[in-house]
């Protein structure tokens, strides 16, 4: 089939007011060509989050599809969370690992953007739902470009000048994980400062880059920073700025970490399996380590 024919079949249906669209006309088992990647990326930039439904793929199939969009992270910042055979896939799972509770059974329980505690924060993330609980296990996403644009001009000019210090210790639930593995993850990821507002390298959109994993703003005290961090997170996560995804098995949800943040909800029976696999596109280098 010609590129034009193939791409004319790709259609987006909005899922939420603030962000999110379902994409039809793509079979993720086929590696997309350059024109298809460009067509999908344009929709991804427009909607910030896109969903491919009803796809059933093996782990290598996710890798094959995701890697068409750019270099994938090997998740070396969080070695304990990787797929045992495919380092480019992160497991977000409550399945036991080697007879022990999974280190990622409570991943993503507060608002964050992926790998913001590293100097290579994620560009896009692509999360595949292999197994979901009968009820719940939803994920919420907030549009951080809209959050920025809906601040007053005065506050925008203030946050434009701030650097947010990210601390992996503020990852919700990290204290419940294996102490040795957590110590290693903390050693690999010391606190790092990023601009509190970032410009998307491809779309040019400016977006707030502040989440619940920010401990303070560089040059300000924790006490001074806290109310502003709290305000910005509350502002960004107002219901009208959020899309809540109710997973179906075979969903591939792709979000842009440069213009969104997300939170995985513990709104399900934890004895029910939830097994997800994530490919992470490497983003632009950013930030500096706080010594
Ligand atoms: C993540 O934060 O990347 C995982 C989100 C989820 O499990 O829904």
């Amino acid at each position: 089939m010609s590129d034009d024919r193939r791409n004319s079949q790709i259609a987006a249906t909005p899922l939420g007011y603030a962000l999110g669209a379902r994409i039809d006309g793509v079979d993720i088992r086929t590696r997309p060509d350059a024109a298809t990647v460009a067509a999908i990326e344009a929709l991804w930039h427009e909607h910030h989050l896109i969903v491919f439904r009803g796809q059933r793929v093996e782990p290598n199939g996710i890798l094959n599809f995701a890697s068409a969009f750019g270099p994938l992270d090997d998740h070396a910042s969080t070695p304990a969370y990787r797929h045992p055979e495919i380092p480019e896939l992160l497991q977000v799972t409550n399945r036991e690992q080697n007879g022990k509770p999974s280190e990622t059974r409570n991943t993503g329980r507060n608002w964050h953007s992926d790998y913001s505690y590293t100097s290579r924060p994620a560009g896009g993330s692509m999360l595949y739902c292999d197994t979901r609980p009968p009820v719940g296990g939803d994920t919420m996403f907030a549009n951080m470009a809209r959050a920025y644009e809906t601040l007053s001009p005065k506050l925008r000019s203030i946050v434009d000048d701030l650097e947010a210090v990210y601390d992996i210790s503020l990852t919700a639930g990290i204290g419940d994980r294996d102490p040795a593995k957590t110590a290693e993850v903390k050693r690999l990821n010391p606190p790092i400062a990023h601009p509190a507002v970032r410009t998307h390298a491809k779309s040019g959109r400016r977006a707030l880059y502040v989440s619940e994993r920010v401990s303070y703003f560089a040059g300000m005290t924790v006490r001074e920073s806290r109310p502003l961090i709290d305000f910005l997170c509350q502002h960004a996560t107002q219901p009208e700025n959020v899309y809540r995804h109710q997973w179906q098995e075979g969903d591939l949800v792709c979000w842009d970490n440069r213009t969104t943040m997300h939170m995985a909800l513990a709104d399900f029976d934890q004895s029910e399996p939830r097994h997800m696999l994530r490919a992470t596109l490497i983003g632009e280098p950013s930030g500096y380590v706080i010594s």
Side-chain angles (χ1 to χ4, degrees):
M1 194 187 299
S2 74
D3 288 353
D4 284 353
R5 271 284 304 286
R6 189 179 293 128
N7 296 325
S8 67
Q9 292 173 351
I10 299 176
T13 306
L15 293 172
Y17 170 66
L19 73 163
R22 192 188 73 228
I23 305 292
D24 293 307
V26 176
D27 180 348
I28 71 165
R29 290 171 303 180
T30 307
R31 188 176 169 84
D33 58 23
T36 305
V37 167
I40 294 171
E41 276 185 343
L43 294 170
W44 195 353
H45 294 154
E46 182 184 344
H47 295 282
H48 308 286
L49 171 146
I50 51 176
V51 182
F52 302 94
R53 288 225 116 136
Q55 314 275 341
R56 285 311 286 185
V57 278
E58 296 300 317
N60 274 317
I62 304 168
L63 194 63
N64 186 44
F65 181 78
S67 60
F69 291 83
L72 297 178
D73 204 306
D74 64 0
H75 303 112
S77 318
T78 52
Y81 309 163
R82 300 194 269 202
H83 186 285
E85 280 106 42
I86 310 175
E88 294 86 358
L89 293 181
L90 192 85
Q91 300 192 101
V92 181
T93 187
N94 60 5
R95 276 186 195 157
E96 286 200 345
Q97 310 284 296
N98 303 319
K100 294 193 178 150
S102 161
E103 285 298 286
T104 57
R105 65 193 182 283
N106 59 4
T107 287
R109 293 282 190 266
N110 57 355
W111 285 103
H112 68 284
S113 174
D114 290 332
Y115 275 3
S116 47
Y117 48 78
T118 76
S119 57
R120 288 293 278 271
S125 291
M126 299 176 149
L127 187 64
Y128 175 74
C129 177
D130 176 272
T131 311
R132 50 151 278 188
V135 176
D138 300 353
T139 308
M140 299 206 294
F141 297 87
N143 180 339
M144 300 304 276
R146 191 170 177 277
Y148 176 69
E149 287 155 11
T150 52
L151 291 172
S152 64
K154 186 70 189 170
L155 187 50
R156 267 205 308 268
S157 72
I158 292 170
V159 290
D160 277 340
D161 281 341
L162 294 178
E163 290 173 327
V165 177
Y166 282 81
D167 188 338
I168 195 170
S169 311
L170 296 179
T171 300
I174 199 165
D176 301 330
R177 300 182 195 164
D178 179 285
K181 289 183 178 146
T182 297
E184 172 67 352
V185 164
K186 286 187 185 173
R187 187 189 67 74
L188 288 169
N189 301 287
I192 185 159
H194 292 293
V197 179
R198 295 171 75 207
T199 304
H200 193 288
K202 290 189 178 164
S203 71
R205 289 284 291 274
R206 283 176 69 68
L208 195 57
Y209 197 64
V210 174
S211 79
E212 292 181 345
R213 297 183 184 174
V214 170
S215 52
Y216 65 96
F217 294 111
M220 292 170 62
T221 64
V222 171
R223 190 161 157 260
E224 288 168 338
S225 307
R226 198 69 255 159
L228 184 52
I229 297 166
D230 289 345
F231 169 76
L232 292 171
C233 289
Q234 282 162 17
H235 170 73
T237 59
Q238 293 172 89
E240 62 268 33
N241 200 42
V242 167
Y243 165 69
R244 177 171 178 152
H245 189 71
Q246 295 187 299
W247 292 93
Q248 292 177 10
E249 291 174 1
D251 281 354
L252 181 74
V253 174
C254 310
W255 60 89
D256 193 326
N257 288 288
R258 297 163 291 195
T259 57
T260 67
M261 64 176 178
H262 60 283
M263 175 166 67
L265 303 179
D267 64 338
F268 67 103
D269 177 349
Q270 305 297 311
S271 68
E272 295 286 350
R274 184 179 190 272
H275 184 73
M276 324 281 277
L277 292 167
R278 191 184 91 198
T280 313
L281 289 156
I282 295 178
E284 297 75 29
S286 166
Y288 59 90
V289 169
I290 303 286
S291 46

